[in-house]
């Protein structure tokens, strides 16, 4: 990717290349059934587990990174983040969780997940680590679940 513009990439091609690379390394991220679902995304978009890609500057270099989420069974979300480094597409984050939400705040990627502990949610913050050239978990904490307020009587 000599232009250095990650938005010019086809996200589906990035996903296919990552799956192929994982298979070559004998570390598949998905089982065969899930791989088939992903490969049929263009033919069956309503059944596609790959979410619409997002673009945010997570490294602080003024250029966007590509954020891809892939929904798995049991409410799990595989989250991959890529940047262009020296003209090549490079994965800088590979994580999975039972995600409730993902957001970017001050250049950090914040992932909220359901927790096995009753009444709590996990919040993990991933930040760019320039020394290692990847997104690293900067902090993880458990927060009490916020419950929706009960309606007033008669409403």
């Amino acid at each position: 990717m000599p232009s250095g513009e990650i938005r010019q990439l086809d996200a589906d091609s990035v996903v296919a290349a990552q799956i192929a690379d994982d298979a070559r390394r004998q570390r598949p991220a998905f089982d065969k059934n899930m791989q088939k679902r992903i490969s049929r995304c263009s033919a069956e978009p309503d059944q596609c587990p790959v979410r619409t890609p997002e673009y945010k500057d997570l490294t602080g270099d003024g250029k966007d990174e590509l954020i891809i989420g892939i929904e798995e069974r049991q409410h799990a979300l595989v989250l991959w983040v890529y940047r262009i480094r020296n003209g090549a597409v490079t994965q800088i984050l590979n994580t999975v969780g039972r995600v409730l939400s993902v957001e970017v705040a001050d250049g950090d990627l914040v992932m909220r997940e359901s927790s096995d502990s009753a009444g709590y949610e996990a919040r993990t913050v991933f930040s760019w680590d320039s020394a290692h050239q990847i997104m690293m978990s900067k902090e993880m904490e458990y927060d009490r679940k916020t419950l929706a307020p009960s309606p007033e009587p008669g409403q």
Side-chain angles (χ1 to χ4, degrees), residues 85-101:
R85 182 173 176 219
N86 300 327
V89 179
T90 305
Q91 188 179 65
I92 60 172
L93 179 66
N94 178 355
T95 192
V96 64
R98 290 182 296 166
V99 176
L100 300 170
S101 68

Side-chain angles (χ1 to χ4, degrees), residues 67-98:
I67 304 167
I68 297 175
I70 303 171
E71 295 179 51
E72 279 201 299
R73 295 179 302 272
Q74 300 170 338
H75 306 290
L77 182 74
V78 172
L79 195 62
W80 291 340
V81 179
Y82 298 87
R83 75 182 295 222
I84 296 180
R85 182 173 176 219
N86 300 327
V89 179
T90 305
Q91 188 179 65
I92 60 172
L93 179 66
N94 178 355
T95 192
V96 64
R98 290 182 296 166

Side-chain angles (χ1 to χ4, degrees), residues 60-71:
D61 65 357
K63 295 181 181 179
D64 286 338
E65 277 67 52
L66 169 62
I67 304 167
I68 297 175
I70 303 171
E71 295 179 51

